[in-house]
Amino acid sequence: MFCFQCEQTAKNEGCTKQGVCGKTDDVAELQDLLIYAVKGLSLIAHEGRKAGIQEEAVNRFTSEAHFSTLTNVNFDRERFFRFINECVQLRDALKEKVKAKVKAKGGKVDFDHDAANFTPAETVEGMIEQGRKVGVLIPKDLNEDIRSLRELLTYGLKGIAAYADHARILGKSNPEVDTFMHKALAATLDDNLGADEYVGLVMECGQVNYKTMELLDAANTGAYGDPVPTKVPLGVKKGKAIIISGHDLLDLEQLLQQTEGKGIDIYTHGEMLPTHGYPKLKEKYSHFYGHFGTAWQNQKKEFDNIPAAILMTTNCIQRPAKTYQDRIFTTGLVGFPDMPHIPGTGKGKDFTPVIEKALELPGFPADEEKGHVMVGFGHKTVLSLADKVVGAVKNKDIRHFFLVGGCDGAKPGRNYYTEFVSKLPKDCVILTLACGKFRFFDMDLGDIGGIPRLLDVGQCNDAYSAIRIATALADAFNCGVNDLPLSMILSWYEQKACAILLTLLSLGIRDIRLGPSLPAFITPNILNVLVEKFNIMPISTPDEDLKAILG
Ligand code: SF4
Ligand code: SF3
């Protein structure tokens, strides 16, 4: 295996025997084969569109399959076996339709790339061997910068796939997004493209991701209302409980509906925290109680012997410890071998096994007070404070805004973000989002004239909201985003963060500080291009960075 798609990749070079994330060699090879198969399907889908054929089943599958290979989503080899077979069935059926349509118009189309033609092996072991021949390092003699750009594009597309899948689950899709996914995935197979063409596609990937996040924002707020400032308890209440993790709002809603009146409290975990701010979730269900634990990499410690059931939706899942493996469930695209899975997509899921498990377990023995945090500062809420914010800046009550956000992870270097926030002068406001916030989410940072100094914009899925806030501030001050007293200090881990970073770059945002380390898949030449164009830089120390920004 060879995988270097995430920030914790071994030696910041690549995982070769087993993933630091726990991904095994066999699953890595199956994921490589699936990505290869999806690229083959995309080649045909891209040609099909030119001939007037486009199929929702293919669009949906492309997002689902690509998303399932994102870090910490699915570790189940059986699931990849089924995905690969489904992909090839869709591919071959579409190929016949496209060929027939082109022929009927008097033309001819050949799909001679192996990705569009290979026959999958009949066994998992056979597919693993096929995967070894199509991984990231194949072909060996490929120019390193081209490989780097192809992978950057593939990972950006994983982010788009995730956001598109979330939006589609809530009934929203955008043909422009599906069209780009197929075009770009097909382009990663094209040996005629050079660095300039790939750089163009990478920037387009950022633009399309913006549209995808906009779509997801409309899907979330359309279904559940605009988030409002909401106080979320961090302790526990005596009684039975289910903890739900991940990013999927519809799973949460269905769980809330199915547990109503059953004497079970629902707690969020990880990236589910901001869902407390949605009026149609928080106000409707009195048993939607509080938030449990912190970021994904602490789950083993925090779930240890937990007297409650756990439901994992989307990323990030880790191999469970023995002390809770009998009470953890997956759903959606998440999978782990031998872990019970709640089937279905979107509406109509049946969470009975999770509910029965929660009822069987003792529940929390007593109330435990641990304070609270505030969530719900999406763009609508923050922009409703715009006049106040602009006034505070003009009065010099607010000196600078910092967007400190992104993914969390296990590396010691991530303490930078905790230290950075704690060292910020009192006249600075911090916008945050995604699971990186758990480094400082419970710090009491006070307010500036009624404006909280720490504003939780939401999940990584809500990066759109943060961009809307930045562009609205720029409009209010009649300047560009780069001229605002705003600095972006980002942390990355998985591929959604890559997509968001590409969006920021495609919007022309400069001077982003990125950490805890730079992506292993970016070659020095590609990094130079990004530095020259966008002055993107690695984080250094909190003191040095603060000095450089604030003077
Ligand atoms: Fe390694 Fe990250 Fe790939 Fe897992 S996802 S195998 S940790 S690079
Ligand atoms: Fe976190 Fe996995 Fe990226 Fe949604 S939950 S931000 S890492």
Side-chain angles (χ1 to χ4, degrees):
M1 69 175 279
F2 182 85
C3 180
F4 60 174
Q5 67 174 355
C6 84
E7 190 274 334
Q8 68 177 358
T9 193
K11 300 186 197 141
N12 208 29
E13 288 172 6
C15 296
T16 52
K17 292 198 173 68
Q18 153 129 0
V20 177
C21 61
K23 183 159 80 179
T24 48
D25 167 79
D26 54 352
V27 171
E29 298 301 353
L30 291 168
Q31 289 189 355
D32 283 349
L33 186 61
L34 176 59
I35 291 170
Y36 186 66
V38 170
K39 288 177 175 179
L41 171 66
S42 299
L43 206 66
I44 295 159
H46 181 52
E47 281 305 316
R49 269 198 189 82
K50 292 184 202 160
I53 296 177
Q54 75 94 23
E55 299 198 340
E56 172 57 14
V58 171
N59 297 341
R60 174 184 285 273
F61 179 84
T62 305
S63 292
E64 286 181 350
H66 210 49
F67 184 12
S68 71
T69 67
L70 191 133
T71 301
N72 286 346
V73 172
N74 200 314
F75 295 83
D76 185 1
R77 53 192 244 156
E78 299 302 326
R79 204 87 85 78
F80 288 106
F81 179 75
R82 291 199 296 273
F83 262 136
I84 293 162
N85 280 320
E86 194 182 339
C87 187
V88 169
Q89 278 162 17
L90 281 170
R91 181 197 75 187
D92 291 348
L94 185 64
K95 200 193 300 177
E96 289 316 308
K97 282 187 203 161
V98 176
K99 278 186 171 174
K101 183 92 183 262
V102 173
K103 197 174 164 195
K105 286 183 175 173
K108 190 173 179 303
V109 62
D110 281 321
F111 301 105
D112 50 12
H113 198 290
D114 175 63
N117 293 296
F118 80 94
T119 305
E122 283 173 11
T123 62
V124 175
E125 298 308 326
M127 281 190 189
I128 292 167
E129 286 314 309
Q130 286 178 307
R132 292 195 200 286
K133 299 187 183 102
V134 297
V136 174
L137 299 181
I138 312 283
K140 281 200 180 83
D141 57 355
L142 185 68
N143 174 293
E144 285 309 308
D145 296 329
I146 298 291
R147 195 189 313 278
S148 173
L149 286 164
R150 283 184 182 177
E151 292 310 310
L152 176 57
L153 183 56
T154 303
Y155 305 150
L157 290 166
K158 288 193 189 194
I160 295 184
Y163 298 134
D165 182 61
H166 280 294
R168 193 171 248 116
I169 283 171
L170 290 169
K172 296 248 188 247
S173 59
N174 176 350
E176 219 183 307
V177 173
D178 299 316
T179 302
F180 178 74
M181 278 204 72
H182 287 135
K183 176 179 95 167
L185 282 164
T188 63
L189 299 174
D190 190 344
D191 291 331
N192 296 317
L193 300 183
D196 288 347
E197 281 102 338
Y198 281 119
V199 168
L201 282 164
V202 160
M203 285 301 122
E204 198 180 341
C205 182
Q207 288 156 8
V208 174
N209 184 52
Y210 182 74
K211 289 184 186 155
T212 319
M213 288 193 300
E214 185 176 33
L215 187 74
L216 178 56
D217 183 79
N220 286 339
T221 56
Y224 305 110
D226 284 298
V228 293
T230 306
K231 201 170 165 178
V232 185
L234 297 177
V236 297
K237 228 168 58 167
K238 182 179 174 186
K240 312 268 184 195
I242 296 175
I243 290 160
I244 176 167
S245 190
H247 305 70
D248 196 305
L249 273 59
L250 183 57
D251 284 340
L252 170 62
E253 185 189 24
Q254 292 182 87
L255 183 67
L256 287 166
Q257 284 163 350
Q258 292 174 31
T259 44
E260 238 180 338
K262 290 206 159 64
I264 299 171
D265 291 313
I266 303 298
Y267 294 75
T268 52
H269 171 263
E271 279 279 71
M272 278 290 180
L273 166 63
T275 59
H276 288 276
Y278 286 95
K280 288 190 187 158
L281 294 174
K282 184 63 196 168
E283 284 162 16
K284 232 170 135 183
Y285 302 97
S286 57
H287 62 304
F288 187 22
Y289 178 64
H291 183 77
F292 183 88
T294 54
W296 65 271
Q297 76 279 359
N298 301 323
Q299 64 191 258
K300 270 198 177 142
K301 201 170 62 197
E302 293 173 349
F303 292 163
D304 185 42
N305 273 316
I306 194 161
I310 307 154
L311 177 64
M312 304 298 289
T313 78
T314 70
N315 50 313
C316 280
I317 189 169
Q318 291 185 296
R319 174 182 294 282
K322 284 206 174 66
T323 56
Y324 63 89
Q325 69 182 14
D326 63 338
R327 58 202 68 177
I328 183 164
F329 298 79
T330 59
T331 192
L333 295 172
V334 192
F336 209 91
D338 302 324
M339 197 177 280
H341 185 77
I342 305 298
T345 308
K347 287 188 182 147
K349 287 190 185 179
D350 179 2
F351 290 111
T352 303
V354 189
I355 296 166
E356 282 175 351
K357 180 54 80 176
L359 291 172
E360 190 185 293
L361 289 163
F364 293 112
D367 292 355
E368 200 183 334
E369 178 60 39
K370 281 192 179 169
H372 69 271
V373 290
M374 289 297 291
V375 299
F377 295 96
H379 61 98
K380 286 265 168 64
T381 299
V382 176
L383 296 184
S384 71
L385 297 171
D387 288 349
K388 227 174 166 180
V389 172
V390 171
V393 174
K394 287 191 173 152
N395 280 341
K396 300 203 178 345
D397 294 332
I398 295 178
R399 176 166 33 154
H400 206 87
F401 297 90
F402 288 90
L403 175 65
V404 187
C407 307
D408 206 352
K411 276 199 185 153
R414 289 183 182 268
N415 285 342
Y416 166 95
Y417 298 93
T418 322
E419 226 183 286
F420 187 89
V421 168
S422 63
K423 285 188 164 168
L424 282 175
K426 293 210 168 356
D427 53 3
C428 294
V429 169
I430 304 120
L431 295 157
T432 191
L433 53 82
C435 64
K437 67 168 146 280
F438 290 109
R439 297 266 160 184
F440 47 81
F441 80 132
D442 52 354
M443 282 182 191
D444 184 5
L445 298 177
D447 66 293
I448 299 175
I451 304 162
R453 283 190 58 221
L454 181 61
L455 299 165
D456 183 357
V457 181
Q459 301 180 334
C460 58
N461 296 15
D462 299 309
Y464 168 78
S465 236
I467 295 169
R468 284 287 307 273
I469 292 167
T471 49
L473 280 176
D475 287 348
F477 288 105
N478 210 6
C479 66
V481 171
N482 289 322
D483 307 314
L484 282 172
L486 165 72
S487 301
M488 301 201 183
I489 318 290
L490 306 184
S491 54
W492 82 286
Y493 171 64
E494 35 77 349
Q495 300 78 53
K496 284 190 268 181
C498 297
I500 294 169
L501 186 65
L502 294 180
T503 296
L504 295 172
L505 300 182
S506 73
L507 291 169
I509 294 174
R510 293 175 57 81
D511 306 330
I512 293 171
R513 283 178 167 77
L514 183 67
S517 51
L518 295 180
F521 54 83
I522 300 281
T523 57
N525 285 339
I526 303 303
L527 184 63
N528 278 344
V529 173
L530 297 180
V531 171
E532 265 170 37
K533 269 185 111 162
F534 304 107
N535 198 31
I536 188 166
M537 60 194 102
I539 54 168
S540 62
T541 65
D543 288 325
E544 269 178 39
D545 287 347
L546 271 173
K547 194 157 176 268
I549 295 166
L550 295 176

